[in-house]
Amino acid sequence: MKLREHMQIGRRAIKHMFLMSRRYCFSTVAGSIVTSLMPYVPIYFSAKLIDGLAAGEGIEVLALYASLTVGLVALLSLLNGWITVQNDLGSKEQARGLDWVYAEKAMGMSYASIEDREVNLLRERIRYESQTGYGLYWLIHFFRALAGYVVQIAASVSLSVSFFAVSTVPLWQKLAFVGAVITTMLVNILLTSKWGKITSAFYSKCVDWNLIDAKFSSYVDDYRGGKDIRLYGLAPSLTDFDLGTQMSVWKQEAKMELQCMGLRLLDTLMNYGLQLGVYMLLIAAALGGGISVGSIARYVSCVMLLLTAAEGAATAIQSLLVNNQYLKRYFEYLDIPNPMYQGSLTVAKRDDNEYYIEFRDVSFRYPNTESYALRHVNLKFRVGEKLAVVGMNGSGKTTFIKLLCRMYDPTEGEICLNGVDIRKYDYDEYMALFSIVFQDFQLMAFSLGQNIAASAAYDKARAEECLERAGFDQRLSDMSKGLDTALYQHFDREGVEISGGEAQKVALARALYKDAPFIVLDEPTAALDPVAEYEVYSRFNQIAGDKTAVYISHRLASCRFCSEILVFDSGNIVQRGNHEELMADESGRYHALWDAQAQYYAREAG
């Protein structure tokens, strides 16, 4: 990256941190300045105290120097303690703010981005990069360090500059003093740059190792994988895999540490060599009467602090430049646009529920793919109809629903609500028309009532009615806390584990509670036993009421109660009609699927 881009990223990152927590930003910089100034108080007054003793100053003057040393250090320590408390509070604000940034971005993304594997990999990479410190954490860490080092450099120079004003010190000694300091600083900076590149290269690899380790942990920590690990004897393979990865990391880390150790040894020798040279130079100047004994201690301390600060500043600057690569990736994720046109038209609230949906020559292919998932779909239906969508896996059934609900927009053609392209409607208002139970629905580890209402506050009577309609009433009666019963035990030890079929009923009750004009059921009985499945079928009209019900299934027997059936095959609607009409076409796809499933059940019965 060029310097201009580095500066732009740095400014944006600091502003980003500032918005998450002003307290954290201010306390971080203030704490760095106070901490950096503290060593210079005893350095300055200790030199004054030594010179006072050598000059035979009175007890009042000496006591004043001692009091100022202790008092100022104590005052700075108290100030630093208060700043530390503010920084701790600010760091918690910042951590919460960062969590909310990720959550808000995920909730504001288009569903296409949520399903995009590249976006998911980018998000995972950023998350695991932060575990090695890269990103916002290193930004504030190194910015704080840089601020402190700049203060140290300024203080060291300020307390050392008087050396050059001493007329009795020869010019060559002054030049030697400056030359030695500059040479050592340059060598320190070069060595720091070298080991900084070595460590950065290693830690950048750690991101990939963290991803691998996280996947490994997800296998062995999740109780759902425990059965397969034990039944299929996977423990040795998983252990060997993890051990091999850990050994590979250890070997590369050991190599990195050895390389850095050699560079640090050379750096240490340079520093101590300079310290010896400065001592000898200042002693010679003191013997010549040019400087006082106290000044020797002050100058030596300041020079060593100057070298440390210069080396630290070089490290901080280099680290900030490296870190900008990671911040750039972080902002690329935050800048992923939502291409879904939001629209502005209000969806009219019709008392007669006369809503018409029409697919007009709709074709669709998923992002980053060449093949079409749907091709030239034409369809019109209205509220109150019971529509079944059937077909083999991958025939386009779920894609059809995702387009209907505007999780994706068509690649070609348009979908209309009452004759108006659905993209022109307010996005949230249009989404409010649909209650959907997908195959991969998600229940949260909150109370049962909150799951039904998808809200912290809910109508208890209404929630119980919806659970009854979904066939969950018997299970509800067995729960001592009723609707207040927590699902799962993520947050509540008394939470209950419900079966897949029970979870499906809860998801169905949630769709009913929303009371939207359209209800979409994507394989709603997949996890139910035959008896429970029959209950859902027999009560389907009661469950759907006067709503439009779109019922997706690959079990053709479950669709006989629908007024119309759409048969999908390879992304096309190849047949349309009721069960009797479709069965009458013996050469049709529906008849072939029905016979295949009927033969399977006949063999099972035999």
Side-chain angles (χ1 to χ4, degrees):
M1 288 192 294
K2 295 182 179 179
L3 179 60
R4 182 177 181 181
E5 188 175 4
H6 277 295
M7 294 180 67
Q8 289 174 341
I9 291 175
R11 283 196 299 267
R12 181 178 179 183
I14 291 172
K15 183 179 179 180
H16 190 62
M17 292 285 290
F18 189 79
L19 291 174
M20 283 191 279
S21 176
R22 297 184 182 185
R23 186 204 308 260
Y24 187 56
C25 295
F26 284 133
S27 62
T28 295
V29 176
S32 178
I33 293 172
V34 171
T35 303
S36 300
L37 286 175
M38 287 179 69
Y40 292 93
V41 174
I43 288 174
Y44 178 78
F45 285 107
S46 294
K48 299 287 284 183
L49 189 60
I50 292 171
D51 288 341
L53 287 168
E57 295 282 0
I59 187 65
E60 296 84 1
V61 175
L62 298 177
L64 176 63
Y65 291 150
S67 299
L68 287 172
T69 302
V70 175
L72 288 175
V73 169
L75 184 62
L76 290 175
S77 297
L78 290 173
L79 178 59
N80 193 49
W82 180 80
I83 292 173
T84 300
V85 172
Q86 297 301 311
N87 191 252
D88 288 342
L89 295 173
S91 67
K92 292 178 175 60
E93 291 177 351
Q94 190 269 337
R96 289 195 299 270
L98 183 58
D99 286 341
W100 180 247
V101 166
Y102 281 116
E104 190 174 41
K105 180 60 184 177
M107 290 186 289
M109 275 184 173
S110 68
Y111 189 76
S113 295
I114 293 295
E115 280 199 328
D116 192 322
R117 181 56 183 157
E118 294 299 320
V119 173
N120 287 325
L121 285 173
L122 178 61
R123 180 173 57 250
E124 287 184 28
R125 184 172 186 85
I126 292 169
R127 285 280 196 175
Y128 289 117
E129 281 174 352
S130 65
Q131 290 186 3
T132 56
Y134 289 110
L136 295 176
Y137 173 78
W138 277 141
L139 168 72
I140 200 68
H141 174 77
F142 287 119
F143 188 78
R144 174 178 184 167
L146 182 60
Y149 291 135
V150 169
V151 171
Q152 282 189 340
I153 291 171
S156 296
V157 171
S158 298
L159 294 182
S160 303
V161 73
S162 59
F163 172 76
F164 301 97
V166 179
S167 59
T168 56
V169 177
L171 179 61
W172 69 269
Q173 288 186 347
K174 296 176 181 178
L175 294 176
F177 181 89
V178 173
V181 171
I182 292 176
T183 301
T184 306
M185 287 175 60
L186 290 176
V187 172
N188 285 344
I189 291 172
L190 289 174
L191 293 175
T192 300
S193 176
K194 180 66 176 176
W195 80 54
K197 290 179 181 178
I198 293 173
T199 55
S200 294
F202 171 75
Y203 285 118
S204 64
K205 293 179 182 178
C206 286
V207 173
D208 295 323
W209 293 326
N210 283 338
L211 285 167
I212 293 172
D213 185 64
K215 295 302 180 185
F216 172 81
S217 297
S218 69
Y219 291 147
V220 299
D221 292 342
D222 192 336
Y223 70 89
R224 290 172 295 183
K227 299 186 292 294
D228 293 317
I229 290 174
R230 286 156 180 79
L231 288 171
Y232 294 100
L234 294 174
S237 299
L238 289 171
T239 303
D240 290 343
F241 172 79
D242 186 56
L243 181 61
T245 302
Q246 296 293 341
M247 289 300 295
S248 174
V249 174
W250 180 83
K251 288 178 181 178
Q252 296 192 51
E253 186 174 15
K255 180 181 178 181
M256 181 268 294
E257 291 291 352
L258 287 173
Q259 290 175 326
C260 291
M261 184 179 69
L263 295 172
R264 290 193 182 99
L265 177 61
L266 181 58
D267 180 61
T268 301
L269 292 174
M270 284 288 297
N271 285 340
Y272 281 116
L274 175 65
Q275 187 175 5
L276 177 61
V278 170
Y279 265 121
M280 299 304 294
L281 186 66
L282 293 175
I283 289 171
L287 291 175
I291 60 175
S292 65
V293 177
S295 297
I296 294 177
R298 186 176 77 190
Y299 292 147
V300 170
S301 298
C302 287
V303 167
M304 299 315 297
L305 286 173
L306 174 63
L307 291 176
T308 302
E311 180 182 332
T315 302
I317 291 172
Q318 181 193 357
S319 300
L320 285 170
L321 294 178
V322 171
N323 190 57
N324 279 347
Q325 303 287 345
Y326 296 88
L327 285 173
K328 181 180 180 181
R329 188 154 39 239
Y330 171 75
F331 287 125
E332 283 175 354
Y333 172 70
L334 294 186
D335 291 340
I336 293 174
N338 185 343
M340 300 290 286
Y341 182 69
Q342 298 301 304
S344 58
L345 294 181
T346 299
V347 177
K349 307 297 182 184
R350 300 180 64 107
D351 294 332
D352 56 4
N353 265 353
E354 286 294 319
Y355 294 102
Y356 288 87
I357 290 285
E358 183 177 5
F359 280 63
R360 296 177 179 174
D361 198 28
V362 170
S363 297
F364 176 75
R365 63 168 180 252
Y366 285 96
N368 305 317
T369 61
E370 296 298 327
S371 60
Y372 280 84
L374 288 180
R375 199 70 172 141
H376 301 300
V377 173
N378 290 280
L379 173 69
K380 185 175 183 179
F381 60 93
R382 65 178 179 82
V383 165
E385 292 184 354
K386 306 298 184 288
L387 187 69
V389 179
V390 302
M392 300 292 288
N393 290 335
S395 60
K397 304 187 300 295
T398 300
T399 300
F400 168 74
I401 297 303
K402 288 179 179 179
L403 292 176
L404 173 65
C405 304
R406 271 215 79 191
M407 290 185 171
Y408 289 92
D409 283 334
T411 305
E412 301 168 12
E414 63 180 5
I415 304 171
C416 297
L417 171 65
N418 291 342
V420 178
D421 190 327
I422 61 175
R423 285 172 287 201
K424 296 181 180 180
Y425 288 108
D426 179 271
Y427 184 79
D428 292 331
E429 286 194 22
Y430 180 78
M431 294 288 281
L433 295 174
F434 297 90
S435 292
I436 309 172
V437 182
F438 283 111
Q439 296 179 55
D440 54 351
F441 64 86
Q442 183 71 52
L443 298 181
M444 310 300 176
F446 303 140
S447 74
L448 175 61
Q450 290 170 340
N451 271 281
I452 298 300
S455 171
Y458 57 91
D459 184 326
K460 183 177 179 180
R462 182 175 160 197
E464 290 176 344
E465 177 193 355
C466 292
L467 285 169
E468 181 181 359
R469 290 168 63 190
F472 195 83
D473 49 327
Q474 182 59 50
R475 183 70 172 93
L476 177 63
S477 65
D478 295 335
M479 295 179 173
S480 59
K481 294 184 179 181
L483 293 173
D484 294 328
T485 302
L487 297 186
Y488 315 116
Q489 297 182 355
H490 298 78
F491 309 122
D492 189 337
R493 291 185 178 181
E494 297 182 0
V496 299
E497 294 283 337
I498 58 176
S499 68
E502 290 170 338
Q504 214 155 22
K505 291 179 180 180
V506 173
L508 178 57
R510 180 167 61 189
L512 296 174
Y513 187 94
K514 187 178 179 181
D515 196 28
F518 293 85
I519 182 167
V520 181
L521 306 178
D522 189 358
E523 299 286 359
T525 61
L528 299 181
D529 59 65
V531 174
E533 182 181 37
Y534 174 75
E535 290 177 359
V536 172
Y537 294 159
S538 61
R539 296 195 302 171
F540 182 77
N541 286 330
Q542 174 190 349
I543 291 173
D546 61 350
K547 306 179 191 312
T548 295
V550 181
Y551 187 94
I552 306 174
S553 180
H554 65 269
R555 300 179 187 176
L556 273 63
S558 65
C559 304
R560 297 184 64 176
F561 53 81
C562 292
S563 56
E564 191 164 22
I565 301 171
L566 302 179
V567 184
F568 275 78
D569 186 46
S570 301
N572 297 282
I573 298 178
V574 294
Q575 284 184 287
R576 180 177 181 179
N578 60 37
H579 174 73
E580 288 73 20
E581 292 170 345
L582 295 176
M583 285 298 294
D585 183 1
E586 297 185 0
S587 62
R589 184 63 174 160
Y590 185 86
H591 191 282
L593 291 172
W594 180 273
D595 278 351
Q597 292 186 10
Q599 291 173 16
Y600 170 78
Y601 286 116
R603 286 197 300 270
E604 286 291 305

